[in-house]
Amino acid sequence: MTAHKALATKEERKEKKEYYGKKQRFYLILAIVINVFILFLCKYYGKLSINLNHTFHVNIWTAENIILPLGISYYSLQLIGYITDVQRDVIQAERNPLKVILYGVFFLSIMQGPFNRYETLMPQICRDKKSKLDFVTAKKAILRILWGYVKKKCIADQVGILVNEVFSNYRNYSGSAIILATFCFAIQLYADFAGYMDIMAGIGQLFGIEIPENFHQPFFSRKISEFWQKWHISLGAWLKGYVFYPVLKSHVFKDFGKWLTQTVSKEAGRNIPTYVGMLILWTLIGTWHGAGITYVFSVGLLQFFYIFMGKITAPVSAKVKAALKINEDSLGWHVFQSCRVTVLMMFAWIFFNSPSMKDAFGFIGRIFCGGINVSQVTQIFTEGSALAGISGAIFMFYILLCAVILVCVDLIHEKGVSIRDSAISRGYIAECVLFFTLIFALIVFGAYGSQYNPSNFIYFEF
């Protein structure tokens, strides 16, 4: 009787667990569908409906009156991550809805990220004891904020003058001018995005909150896959954790892999499902950036193509390196690989910064058909310098100096040395020199004035 009762209780517990498990999965799917639907309606439906009306000559609702909510691309994914972690028993469900809302719309991350994990962010915000801001932490935070503003105002916005001119009127410029503008856009995008992250990280430190790092010297990467482990780190980590790995572990992909193993080969069963998962991942990364095909292609499908080609050509590449006796640990080879990655990303960013695929291909066509015109390159600097308020030669030197400064600072950080920590550890003289140098740079070299058109951070669009 007792054994029968224990067995019944065990079976009841199993049934109860299955029941609540199904219920949890239902609510998880419902929450994801609601979040994705709102994101789709606000961010993607408008452009899609306009294209459908234009292509098929129909008149469906275009959602023109819907205003894109601030930070929807970020808090939608963060809330999906929170709900998924609760369902996985990674974290406990928060009983206070205000805390969940606070997590979703946390002011340091809502505009451009980074994506925060609930279990790392909320304990810092809702700690029982208030953290005391010590003088050393305050100095580090202020220096990082200043460096972020220098990146934005003195580098990104100044270089953006040249970039905007050439990208907007690329038909009027030679191939040499187009290449220069492409290089400058790489500087602008990095300084703009990384500068924002420095500002937010510094503000977070002042509040006693550490937010995840989103950049780690990406232009020293040897491969495209490594580049994306160092650029917009939190986005890639989120999509891998909540999309890529769950997809690969799903029954559909496991069965697909088994079928390929049985019908084709073990290698096919192991690799093809991974490549399909990667294609889904990169398509979502491109789509997350925007509804336009230029985003889906530039930071989505093209990145997948780069990584895919790198993997399938790896055996041939290894043989070539062995035949040429290339030392993979040598500085020269590392520089070559980093330059190769930079050129590939610059090519992708042409599509990223173009309003349409037609304009992007037209821009690329000018590189090969526009010829070399040194006087025109000089003219670009002269026109840009008029807005910057300096001579053309100085503006040319200034942009080159910006690139050198970014590379040198990242090189120092790559060696594991923090410039802020080093300055603070050397005493007040070094601190003051660094502090007033950044202040001086902001005042003298920042993009200001009546002729200057202030620009938002680039990633505000996404």
Side-chain angles (χ1 to χ4, degrees):
M1 182 74 177
T2 307
H4 178 73
K5 185 177 180 181
L7 182 63
T9 305
K10 186 178 179 180
E11 289 177 353
E12 286 175 1
R13 285 201 301 266
K14 185 178 178 181
E15 290 177 1
K16 190 176 181 180
K17 186 177 180 180
E18 289 179 355
Y19 170 76
Y20 282 109
K22 290 179 180 178
K23 201 171 183 181
Q24 281 184 336
R25 284 192 292 274
F26 170 76
Y27 285 121
L28 171 64
I29 294 170
L30 179 63
I32 291 174
V33 168
I34 291 172
N35 274 282
V36 171
F37 174 75
I38 294 172
L39 178 61
F40 171 79
L41 182 64
C42 295
K43 186 173 180 178
Y44 303 102
Y45 175 78
K47 190 163 188 176
L48 178 63
S49 60
I50 291 172
N51 289 336
L52 289 174
N53 286 340
H54 178 73
T55 304
F56 298 103
H57 305 288
V58 293
N59 188 26
I60 61 175
W61 179 55
T62 57
E64 293 179 351
N65 296 326
I66 292 181
I67 299 174
L68 184 65
L70 179 68
I72 189 171
S73 296
Y74 290 92
Y75 66 70
S76 295
L77 298 193
Q78 287 206 155
L79 291 175
I80 289 173
Y82 164 76
I83 297 164
T84 305
D85 284 345
V86 170
Q87 196 273 336
R88 292 175 178 174
D89 288 330
V90 175
I91 58 174
Q92 290 185 342
E94 176 56 59
R95 301 286 183 182
N96 187 344
L98 294 179
K99 288 185 179 181
V100 178
I101 294 172
L102 174 61
Y103 164 69
V105 298
F106 180 57
F107 77 102
L108 291 178
S109 304
I110 193 172
M111 296 298 293
Q112 291 189 194
F115 292 94
N116 296 281
R117 298 294 291 264
Y118 188 89
E119 64 270 26
T120 57
L121 176 63
M122 293 310 292
Q124 298 184 74
I125 297 177
C126 302
R127 59 170 67 98
D128 295 331
K129 295 182 179 180
K130 294 182 179 180
S131 61
K132 294 182 179 179
L133 179 65
D134 61 88
F135 189 47
V136 174
T137 302
K139 288 188 290 186
K140 290 180 181 179
I142 292 170
L143 285 173
R144 185 160 189 182
I145 293 170
L146 287 174
W147 172 232
Y149 274 113
V150 167
K151 281 182 179 178
K152 168 62 177 171
K153 301 298 294 181
C154 303
I155 300 178
D157 286 358
Q158 293 284 23
V159 173
I161 296 171
L162 185 151
V163 172
N164 294 337
E165 168 61 26
V166 177
F167 269 82
S168 299
N169 305 286
Y170 66 88
R171 295 178 183 85
N172 302 329
Y173 289 101
S174 64
S176 52
I178 297 293
I179 292 173
L180 173 66
T182 306
F183 171 73
C184 287
F185 180 66
I187 297 174
Q188 180 193 12
L189 184 63
Y190 180 48
D192 188 281
F193 197 7
Y196 175 88
M197 291 301 159
D198 285 328
I199 295 168
M200 293 301 105
I203 294 173
Q205 283 183 303
L206 292 176
F207 283 93
I209 298 171
E210 295 290 335
I211 62 175
E213 294 292 341
N214 227 12
F215 290 91
H216 187 69
Q217 295 77 253
F219 290 104
F220 294 143
S221 304
R222 293 171 179 261
K223 298 183 292 185
I224 292 294
S225 57
E226 182 185 350
F227 178 90
W228 283 99
Q229 292 169 6
K230 298 181 175 183
W231 177 284
H232 212 335
I233 299 170
S234 61
L235 174 63
W238 191 96
L239 287 168
K240 283 181 180 178
Y242 296 106
V243 177
F244 182 64
Y245 295 128
V247 165
L248 291 186
K249 293 176 182 178
S250 67
H251 292 297
V252 174
F253 269 68
K254 285 182 178 179
D255 293 341
F256 180 48
K258 289 177 183 178
W259 179 80
L260 287 170
T261 301
Q262 294 170 358
T263 57
V264 184
S265 66
K266 287 184 179 180
E267 187 177 359
R270 183 175 61 253
N271 292 333
I272 292 178
T274 303
Y275 292 144
V276 175
M278 287 171 55
L279 179 60
I280 294 171
L281 171 70
W282 284 106
T283 302
L284 288 176
I285 289 177
T287 305
W288 177 86
H289 281 83
I293 187 63
T294 53
Y295 297 125
V296 177
F297 181 76
S298 61
V299 289
L301 299 178
L302 186 56
Q303 304 303 316
F304 166 76
F305 177 76
Y306 286 159
I307 296 171
F308 175 74
M309 291 302 297
K311 287 184 178 294
I312 65 173
T313 59
V316 177
S317 177
K319 291 179 181 179
V320 171
K321 286 184 286 188
L324 297 176
K325 297 180 180 180
I326 294 174
N327 180 7
E328 294 190 42
D329 297 324
S330 66
L331 176 62
W333 183 246
H334 191 169
V335 170
F336 167 77
Q337 287 181 304
S338 297
C339 291
R340 179 182 61 187
V341 168
T342 302
V343 169
L344 289 174
M345 289 308 304
M346 285 168 55
F347 177 77
W349 283 330
I350 290 175
F351 296 90
F352 184 81
N353 198 41
S354 298
S356 67
M357 296 293 287
K358 181 180 178 181
D359 286 309
F361 283 117
F363 192 92
I364 294 168
R366 292 298 298 171
I367 294 177
F368 299 101
C369 303
I372 298 174
N373 190 333
V374 178
S375 61
Q376 193 179 61
V377 172
T378 306
Q379 180 185 354
I380 294 173
F381 283 110
T382 303
E383 292 174 355
S385 65
L387 291 174
I390 53 179
S391 68
I394 293 177
F395 192 51
M396 184 187 300
F397 173 76
Y398 179 80
I399 289 180
L400 180 62
L401 181 63
C402 289
V404 171
I405 289 173
L406 287 175
V407 170
C408 289
V409 170
D410 274 8
L411 184 61
I412 294 170
H413 290 163
E414 185 74 3
K415 298 294 182 182
V417 178
S418 171
I419 297 175
R420 290 175 298 141
D421 293 350
S422 299
I424 291 171
S425 65
R426 293 176 185 275
Y428 288 109
I429 295 177
E431 291 175 22
C432 291
V433 168
L434 181 58
F435 179 81
F436 285 111
T437 298
L438 294 174
I439 292 290
F440 177 81
L442 271 174
I443 294 172
V444 176
F445 301 110
Y448 309 107
S450 58
Q451 291 181 303
Y452 168 66
N453 182 24
S455 57
N456 288 327
F457 287 94
I458 294 173
Y459 261 69
F460 274 9
E461 298 178 34
F462 314 127

